Amino acid sequence: MRIEPSGVQPPAPQTPATRTTASPVVEPGSAKEFVLTGKLATLLAGVRQAPDVRPNVVSEAAARLAAGDFNTAEAAAAAAAAVAQTLPNIEGPVG
């Protein structure tokens, strides 16, 4: 999931969770077809209802932070690169 800088996330597209008959669906940008069965629709609905924030992942990250796993030059460079990707391209010196 991409985190938007504004803090406002676009709503996730919704699909019916209970289809009684299978219907062919074409993937966007592809000629492949698959059948959206009732079971698949139910599973997709369950995934869409899962929270975006997983407490177990947050706990693990907090433990690694407390242990100093992220206090490295490599971790700082990776964090800076990730932040830079979310910023607009600016030509010339900043400031």
Side-chain angles (χ1 to χ4, degrees):
M1 178 179 130
R2 179 184 164 98
I3 298 175
E4 295 297 326
S6 66
V8 177
Q9 296 299 320
Q14 299 294 319
T15 59
T18 56
R19 285 193 184 220
T20 55
T21 61
S23 62
V25 177
V26 178
E27 295 174 340
S30 171
K32 296 180 180 177
E33 288 189 21
F34 67 96
V35 176
L36 183 61
T37 64
K39 183 175 182 178
L40 179 56
T42 301
L43 291 172
L44 286 172
V47 168
R48 287 189 177 104
Q49 291 175 0
D52 289 337
V53 177
R54 297 180 301 178
N56 60 322
V57 175
V58 172
S59 296
E60 182 180 333
R64 290 186 62 198
L65 184 63
D69 290 353
F70 300 121
N71 293 337
T72 66
E74 293 82 11
V83 169
Q85 288 180 346
T86 66
L87 299 175
N89 289 333
I90 301 173
E91 295 192 24
V94 176

